[in-house]
């Protein structure tokens, strides 16, 4: 994953959209970018991308549930 690249892409997207997008919350800006990127692809491909992103996002989240070894 490339956090700095993603931030740069979001900033470029917002700048290209104009003043109305600049006033939106960052989460909405990111949603607009992601939607526009998905619309570049055929529906089946976009669906596969969404599933992969969901899987990758889940894998990157810290696990807050401790796992203890089984007792002997």
């Amino acid at each position: 994953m490339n956090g700095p690249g993603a931030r740069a892409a979001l900033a470029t997207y917002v700048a290209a959209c104009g003043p109305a997008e600049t006033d939106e919350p960052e989460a909405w800006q990111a949603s607009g970018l992601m939607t526009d990127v998905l619309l570049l692809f055929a529906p089946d491909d976009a669906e596969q991308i969404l599933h992969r992103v969901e899987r990758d996002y889940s894998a990157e989240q810290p696990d807050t549930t401790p796992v203890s070894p089984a007792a002997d």
Side-chain angles (χ1 to χ4, degrees), residues 10 13-14 20-34:
L10 181 57
Y13 173 80
V14 171
E21 191 73 22
T22 304
D23 294 338
E24 298 290 341
E26 187 178 42
W28 293 10
Q29 295 169 351
S31 176
L33 170 60
M34 292 167 50

Side-chain angles (χ1 to χ4, degrees), residues 7-67:
R7 287 223 170 269
L10 181 57
T12 300
Y13 173 80
V14 171
C17 287
E21 191 73 22
T22 304
D23 294 338
E24 298 290 341
E26 187 178 42
W28 293 10
Q29 295 169 351
S31 176
L33 170 60
M34 292 167 50
T35 300
D36 286 346
V37 168
L38 288 172
L39 289 171
L40 297 172
F41 297 89
D44 288 345
D45 292 335
E47 194 67 32
Q48 289 179 353
I49 292 167
L50 280 172
H51 288 297
R52 182 173 177 161
V53 167
E54 192 171 43
R55 184 191 69 220
D56 291 349
Y57 179 77
S58 293
E60 292 292 325
Q61 296 303 304
D63 184 3
T64 58
T65 306
V67 177

